[in-house]
Amino acid sequence: MKTITKMFTALGLAVALFAAPAHASGGGQKNAEDYDFSFEGPFGKFDRAQLQRGWQVFKEVCSNCHSLKYIRFRNLTEPGGPELPVEAVKKIAAEYEISGEVNDEGEPITRPGRLSDAIPAPYPNEQAAKAANNNALPPDLSLIVKAREGWYYPWYISPFIKLFKGNGGAEYVRSLIAGYEDPPHGEEKEGLNYNPYFPGHWIAMPPPLAGEDVEYADGTKPTLIQEATDVAAFLAWASMPKMEERKRVGLMTLLYLGVFALLMLMVKKSLWSRVEH
Amino acid sequence: MTTKVENADVSRRDFLYIATGAVGAVGTALAIWPFIDQMNPDASVLALASTEFDLAPLEEGQGVTIKWRGKPVFIRHRTPKEIEEAKKTPLAELKDPIARNLNLPPDAEATDENRVKDANGKVNEKYLVQIGICTHLGCVPLGEQGDYDGWFCPCHGSHYDSAGRIRKGPAPRNLDIPPYKYTSDTVIVIG
Amino acid sequence: MSGHSTYEFKNPIARWVDERLPILSVVRGQLVDFPTPRNLNYWWTFGGILATMLVIQILTGIVLVMHFTPHTSMAFDSVEHIMRDVNWGWLLRWMHANGASFFFIAVYIHIFRGLYYGSYKAPREILWMIGVIIFIAMMATAFMGYVLPWGQMSYWGAVVITNLFSAIPVVGDQIVQWLWGGFSVANPTLQRFFSLHYLLPFVLAALVFLHVWALHVTGNNNPDGIEVKSEQDTLPFHPYYTMKDLFAILVFLMVYAAFVFYSPWYLGHSINFAPANPLSTPAHIVPEWYFLPFYAMLRAIPDKLGGVIVMFSSLIILFFLPWLDTSKVKSLKYRPLARQFFWLLVIVCLVLGIAGAQPAQGAWLLVARLATAWYFIHFLVILPLLGFIEKPKPIPASISEAVLGKAKA
């Protein structure tokens, strides 16, 4: 048993050491501000009200430039997400015009959105999106929280931070949105904005939120940081809509494996106690 | 004395082995489930939109085939003659006396009226909406053919009448009526 | 040890089958009664763990293929479809992705266990060499698998690794075009990688069969490195080692499950959640962690062809290990000096792994060069010399003596 404890300590250490550099990265960015989202940790869940507020911010502000192509309207009603009522989402969907279909005469038509439709993109294609945004493509946000990292610690700390705090994608989004600053030394760059959290500091997106951009139905005060936090949580859900199910099944699996392993250990001991080894 | 202790030992050991084996078996069975369930229709398939269809452009005696959930759906504007024939066919002559209309209880009779009833109970006998899959082995029957002024399946020779009911041939059931409802006098939503 | 047992089955059906196809007596002889040294420690359970991981990878892989679309325009979307819509798709995908990492964790431990206890020495040279082939096949499989989701790191990993072949003089560019099926990594590349990624695991399974066959001809090595001399030295494989292996497999699976369920992309790269973009390379591209030591060697050499040669040599050299190590003693338990060099090699490999992830410049480049040099010195100089210099500790006469000696102490 001692050997095995030693073995797995070594194993864990080796994994951590190896994973370390894989995450390390340079560039002089500022670490995202740490924030304890409700969905962090092995038992963390999304805060429904927060996801609903975040969806409102996305819908009313972000979606003017950004698509969210892997989210379908029905996802907004599914368990583990914002869990909006089906009828309400049907109405929201119907407000959108879905194009891309043709009628019997072969002419392109539009129709009101349905639950099964993906949330329509603001621009018909990449070129149009670039042309409308100073030649910078607003990225799709469906996976943005998983695709971005928030921490820039040295390689020998980073793996441990990431093991406990994750990649910091949601924190990055939150800090970025609320973190625009005046550039140091009054420097200016054509069509770019200064943001210490952005890799390279100069970002094409102008500050998307200023506070009071939306009116929350639940009475939460829409300050800049509140909106940024809510939309970061919403986008975290959009990146990992199955997170709650994953953690739930994970807990059952680990408990099961633990019990089974313990029984196997007893079986093994009872067998080996009879022989010299 | 010693044998007794040994026996107790042995039975405790046996219990441990059996318990461990049982836990392992249950776990294996549970672990297999995701591998099976992944082949079931996924969320995007289940959520597939219902299909809307405007009946107004259909002229009398005209039928069209549209696709719903990947299956052909026959929509036919029946002629008065076809309706008349279907209505006067006694139930006793039918091979399958059940309506097979998913909008009705599973034991509804195969009257002509029951074949054209929507989910809200609305009856419009001019329009017959049915899934165009032969209940024998899944071929698509041909319209305006067969011995009963209805459909004929060329694969194995099943004849359906003008209400889509099986009359002759190997098919066991009437053509299925999909779930649908009228949203206005001439527009239906299937699914 | 070879051949099948002469066991007479009592069940008439079993006997009837076995007389016609002795599959039951082979199973009985090789997997039940198989005499196994009684002193194996937990490091020997990694063979069983590896077999388990191979099965998990093949099973999850087969079902993922039912939903994945190997086309550049749809690969990324189909992976997201698996993650979001397919029943249990997220579980199957994360099992497969993390399964690759844990497969490598197990194989590295298995390899270093072989190095420590001298499992590559006569009469197990072929067994070892098949193992090296398995390792190389695993790397090829993992590399092509990582390309399939068609994210940024998938794409640029494929570009960099396939470009290794352009270092070959004269025909290099021709070979790269042949690998790509075009003038860049594109749809033909993705489709052939998919085909091969599906094929190779079955080749792996066949190689594993040969590996086990070779093992069952010579029998297991053991922590004392003494060959089995009498029946006293052994225990039947079942139930002693089946149950011990099962326990170790479950503990390993717990660590694996912790990652699958709670940190499923910890071992991957965030940027791979951005779809492949052939027009823009991410700022910092690194291979998956299990390739990092080799990547460090590649970059340590300031010459393109030289780097490629050094990297592949680090694997090729392993084929010659049975003859490079001149010592007659197998287990490092009885080789105090070699033991120290072993741990130095472990550290050097870890350092190479870390260096492989750092930008190839400055101090890290120097570290990578020194570590690369030491890797080759270890195998080409230290191991051959040690056999002559080192004075091994006294070795017990037999396994049973070693075991009983321990029991007394």
Side-chain angles (χ1 to χ4, degrees):
Chain A
M1 199 55 216
K2 234 181 204 161
T3 344
I4 204 154
T5 323
K6 251 197 269 174
M7 201 158 92
F8 280 100
T9 320
L11 197 151
L13 212 69
V15 171
L17 273 173
F18 263 64
H23 294 296
S25 167
Q29 302 91 324
K30 206 163 149 185
N31 269 326
E33 189 192 331
D34 194 12
Y35 180 80
D36 281 330
F37 283 101
S38 65
F39 52 83
E40 287 174 11
F43 302 101
K45 286 185 174 177
F46 291 113
D47 172 352
R48 312 274 163 243
Q50 182 168 52
L51 293 192
Q52 291 174 9
R53 292 195 302 271
W55 155 246
Q56 191 186 349
V57 176
F58 172 81
K59 180 172 177 286
E60 292 178 19
V61 183
C62 312
S63 70
N64 288 316
C65 301
H66 290 277
S67 58
L68 193 68
K69 64 177 176 179
Y70 294 121
I71 294 295
R72 285 153 204 285
F73 287 108
R74 66 180 158 83
N75 296 137
L76 296 168
T77 70
E78 286 163 2
E83 296 184 5
L84 288 163
V86 175
E87 286 312 312
V89 177
K90 271 187 182 166
K91 262 191 213 133
I92 296 171
E95 289 166 14
Y96 287 83
E97 286 209 327
I98 308 292
S99 52
E101 291 173 19
V102 291
N103 65 9
D104 293 344
E105 280 81 47
E107 289 149 356
I109 51 159
T110 60
R111 59 163 175 81
R114 302 178 188 134
L115 285 181
S116 56
D117 288 316
I119 291 173
Y123 304 104
N125 52 52
E126 257 185 43
Q127 286 79 355
K130 274 184 161 177
N133 286 285
N134 211 358
N135 212 28
L137 178 71
D140 181 79
L141 297 183
S142 317
L143 283 165
I144 205 78
V145 165
K146 262 153 89 172
R148 296 289 183 273
E149 302 196 359
W151 326 124
Y152 300 95
Y153 292 99
W155 62 270
Y156 47 85
I157 305 176
S158 173
F160 303 102
I161 301 251
K162 280 174 184 170
L163 197 52
F164 294 106
K165 287 186 181 291
N167 285 357
E171 282 87 349
Y172 168 80
V173 169
R174 175 178 179 270
S175 294
L176 183 91
I177 291 174
Y180 283 83
E181 282 175 14
D182 290 332
H185 326 299
E187 201 182 343
E188 267 185 46
K189 289 197 180 179
E190 175 77 29
L192 293 176
N193 306 278
Y194 185 80
N195 192 314
Y197 298 102
F198 186 71
H201 298 338
W202 291 93
I203 182 169
M205 172 170 73
L209 295 169
E212 313 289 332
D213 305 89
V214 295
E215 202 171 305
Y216 284 140
D218 63 4
T220 309
K221 204 168 176 313
T223 59
L224 172 58
I225 193 68
Q226 181 68 45
E227 290 172 346
T229 310
D230 291 345
V231 83
F234 171 75
L235 292 175
W237 165 77
S239 271
M240 39 186 189
K242 301 285 181 185
M243 185 208 74
E244 291 189 9
E245 187 185 357
R246 167 158 62 76
K247 288 178 180 174
R248 200 168 52 238
V249 177
L251 183 66
M252 307 295 275
T253 308
L254 281 179
L255 283 176
Y256 168 79
L257 284 175
V259 169
F260 193 15
L262 208 68
L263 283 170
M264 274 319 300
L265 179 64
M266 286 157 71
V267 169
K268 184 252 162 192
K269 286 205 154 186
S270 113
L271 278 169
W272 283 79
S273 65
R274 284 180 272 164
V275 296
E276 213 64 71
H277 62 282
Chain B
M1 187 70 193
T2 34
T3 35
K4 215 174 177 184
V5 171
E6 267 170 20
N7 278 343
D9 242 23
V10 166
S11 70
R12 197 181 312 143
R13 205 153 60 207
D14 286 347
F15 175 74
L16 174 64
Y17 294 169
I18 290 165
T20 310
V23 168
V26 169
T28 311
L30 288 174
I32 289 170
W33 175 241
F35 290 81
I36 295 169
D37 192 33
Q38 52 88 20
M39 275 168 65
N40 276 321
D42 65 45
S44 63
V45 172
L46 292 176
L48 255 201
S50 44
T51 303
E52 204 174 68
F53 186 79
D54 185 3
L55 299 163
L58 271 189
E59 280 168 37
E60 203 174 277
Q62 194 190 4
V64 291
T65 304
I66 62 167
K67 221 161 115 178
W68 171 70
R69 287 192 174 172
K71 293 188 268 201
V73 168
F74 295 155
I75 301 175
R76 182 167 175 82
H77 187 164
R78 298 190 294 177
T79 60
K81 176 172 168 274
E82 288 169 3
I83 298 171
E84 187 60 26
E85 275 177 9
K87 281 180 128 170
K88 71 174 195 215
T89 305
L91 283 179
E93 266 182 38
L94 298 175
K95 272 186 75 181
D96 177 15
I98 310 284
R100 306 294 170 193
N101 184 338
L102 290 172
N103 303 294
L104 300 177
D107 56 349
E109 286 184 335
T111 57
D112 186 61
E113 185 187 296
N114 277 347
R115 295 284 294 168
V116 291
K117 211 177 247 179
D118 83 346
N120 298 330
K122 182 181 160 92
V123 174
N124 186 346
E125 60 191 21
K126 282 201 281 193
Y127 299 104
L128 179 62
V129 180
Q130 46 188 354
I131 294 175
I133 293 179
C134 180
T135 56
H136 181 221
L137 292 169
C139 297
V140 178
L142 303 170
E144 297 176 44
Q145 287 195 30
D147 300 349
Y148 298 89
D149 287 332
W151 286 264
F152 172 69
C153 182
C155 290
H156 307 97
S158 292
H159 298 255
Y160 298 89
D161 68 12
S162 55
R165 297 173 296 196
I166 181 68
R167 300 298 288 274
K168 200 162 101 183
R173 287 182 292 117
N174 303 327
L175 291 177
D176 287 317
I177 311 284
Y180 73 98
K181 60 175 180 241
Y182 284 87
T183 53
S184 77
D185 277 350
T186 57
V187 176
I188 56 167
V189 173
I190 303 171
Chain C
M1 255 167 247
S2 56
H4 30 83
S5 75
T6 48
Y7 187 82
E8 277 273 321
F9 288 91
K10 289 193 188 73
N11 182 318
I13 297 170
R15 196 164 56 229
W16 186 89
V17 170
D18 206 60
E19 279 163 4
R20 283 153 183 83
L21 178 71
I23 188 165
L24 295 172
S25 23
V26 169
V27 166
R28 194 168 171 99
Q30 302 299 320
L31 297 174
V32 179
D33 295 338
F34 189 69
T36 313
R38 58 168 62 215
N39 58 339
L40 299 188
N41 57 28
Y42 272 104
W43 297 108
W44 259 264
T45 60
F46 280 87
I49 289 171
L50 282 163
T52 309
M53 291 318 292
L54 179 60
V55 170
I56 288 178
Q57 289 304 83
I58 289 181
L59 288 182
T60 51
I62 286 173
V63 297
L64 284 170
V65 167
M66 297 182 188
H67 308 282
F68 174 74
T69 310
H71 190 281
T72 50
S73 66
M74 287 174 78
F76 193 89
D77 288 353
S78 68
V79 172
E80 279 310 307
H81 168 65
I82 291 170
M83 295 297 293
R84 291 163 191 269
D85 288 336
V86 174
N87 304 318
W88 301 99
W90 58 270
L91 173 62
L92 299 165
R93 195 272 176 118
W94 286 137
M95 278 175 77
H96 199 69
N98 285 284
S101 274
F102 277 80
F103 206 158
F104 275 95
I105 290 171
V107 90
Y108 280 125
I109 293 173
H110 192 66
I111 291 170
F112 278 99
R113 190 269 290 156
L115 290 175
Y116 189 90
Y117 294 110
S119 301
Y120 47 85
K121 291 191 190 185
R124 296 184 183 81
E125 301 95 324
I126 301 268
L127 172 60
W128 169 262
M129 289 159 84
I130 297 170
V132 177
I133 297 172
I134 290 175
F135 178 46
I136 294 171
M138 266 178 74
M139 293 206 278
T141 311
F143 159 65
M144 288 189 281
Y146 196 64
V147 174
L148 302 184
W150 211 241
Q152 270 289 63
M153 209 58 109
S154 299
Y155 180 85
W156 291 100
V159 170
V160 170
I161 301 297
T162 49
N163 263 315
L164 290 180
F165 294 91
S166 69
I168 300 168
V170 189
V171 289
D173 287 335
Q174 234 62 62
I175 289 178
V176 172
Q177 278 189 14
W178 174 76
L179 284 173
W180 287 345
F183 305 105
S184 64
V185 173
N187 194 53
T189 327
L190 175 61
Q191 289 194 260
R192 63 193 58 185
F193 277 19
F194 174 66
S195 167
L196 294 173
H197 182 71
Y198 206 140
L199 168 69
L200 278 179
F202 298 100
V203 174
L204 266 175
L207 287 166
V208 167
F209 177 78
L210 293 180
H211 195 62
V212 174
W213 186 1
L215 170 73
H216 282 228
V217 172
T218 63
N220 290 75
N221 183 32
N222 58 78
D224 290 292
I226 318 163
E227 292 303 315
V228 168
K229 296 204 170 84
S230 69
E231 211 173 296
Q232 267 209 321
D233 293 346
T234 67
L235 291 169
F237 185 70
H238 177 78
Y240 294 99
Y241 285 107
T242 46
M243 296 302 123
K244 187 177 179 176
D245 279 2
L246 252 177
F247 168 61
I249 288 168
L250 286 171
V251 174
F252 189 84
L253 288 183
M254 282 178 79
V255 185
Y256 168 55
F259 277 85
V260 167
F261 290 108
Y262 294 104
S263 272
W265 56 96
Y266 182 77
L267 294 162
H269 307 106
S270 297
I271 196 63
N272 219 31
F273 292 112
N277 178 359
L279 302 180
S280 144
T281 312
H284 192 62
I285 66 164
V286 279
E288 287 282 83
W289 68 266
Y290 36 82
F291 293 134
L292 289 173
F294 302 99
Y295 194 56
M297 291 191 198
L298 171 76
R299 300 189 307 177
I301 311 300
D303 174 74
K304 187 170 175 179
L305 180 59
V308 175
I309 289 175
V310 164
M311 189 182 77
F312 283 111
S313 304
S314 68
L315 290 168
I316 302 299
I317 205 171
L318 296 175
F319 284 109
F320 300 96
L321 179 59
W323 298 278
L324 288 169
D325 184 349
T326 50
S327 172
K328 294 210 163 46
V329 179
K330 286 200 190 89
S331 171
L332 296 193
K333 210 168 156 183
Y334 304 106
R335 298 182 62 192
L337 200 52
R339 196 158 63 215
Q340 290 177 31
F341 281 109
F342 169 85
W343 287 114
L344 184 58
L345 180 70
V346 172
I347 292 168
V348 161
C349 289
L350 288 175
V351 166
L352 276 171
I354 294 165
Q358 308 297 333
Q361 55 203 18
W364 280 113
L365 187 57
L366 184 67
V367 167
R369 283 180 181 163
L370 290 174
T372 304
W374 187 260
Y375 180 92
F376 286 94
I377 290 171
H378 177 91
F379 287 109
L380 294 175
V381 181
I382 306 285
L383 279 186
L385 282 183
L386 272 181
F388 300 105
I389 299 164
E390 188 180 45
K391 192 172 173 294
K393 287 203 251 176
I395 298 164
S398 71
I399 293 171
S400 44
E401 193 194 288
V403 170
L404 293 175
K406 192 175 77 185
K408 266 179 221 150

